[in-house]
Amino acid sequence: MTTTRQYVVGPEEDLILGNKFRKNSIVFGVIGLFVFGVVFGVMAFTTARKAEAYGVEATAGKVLGIVGFVLGLLFSIAYLLIR
């Protein structure tokens, strides 16, 4: 059984990719709030920028990325000072 696959070409493809990047940036940002904030914060921010390059607003991903990065950095510094 063979199936044919239709590919979207043009502005619709940009919108689909942008929405995927936006969702991924939000997921990375939420994960970054709880674990490995420095790593996932950067991933959320860069993925949100990719979404915006495709014309999709990704403000939530950027904000979550920045907050996750800052909190992760603060917790890392606090851990090193307490130790």
Side-chain angles (χ1 to χ4, degrees), residues 15-28 44 47-48 50-52 56-61:
L15 186 62
I16 291 169
L17 284 173
N19 284 330
K20 284 182 183 181
F21 283 130
R22 178 176 57 188
K23 285 185 222 176
N24 288 341
S25 71
I26 292 172
V27 169
F28 291 148
T47 308
K50 287 181 187 176
E52 289 181 345
V56 177
E57 289 292 322
T59 307

Side-chain angles (χ1 to χ4, degrees), residues 11 14 16 21 25 32 35 44 64 66:
D14 290 346
I16 291 169
F21 283 130
S25 71
V35 292
L64 286 170
I66 292 170

Side-chain angles (χ1 to χ4, degrees), residues 1-43:
M1 181 172 161
T2 58
T3 59
T4 60
R5 197 171 210 184
Q6 294 181 0
Y7 294 100
V8 181
V9 179
E12 296 86 15
E13 183 181 38
D14 290 346
L15 186 62
I16 291 169
L17 284 173
N19 284 330
K20 284 182 183 181
F21 283 130
R22 178 176 57 188
K23 285 185 222 176
N24 288 341
S25 71
I26 292 172
V27 169
F28 291 148
V30 170
I31 292 172
L33 290 176
F34 298 103
V35 292
F36 304 117
V38 175
V39 175
F40 281 105
V42 172
M43 289 173 62

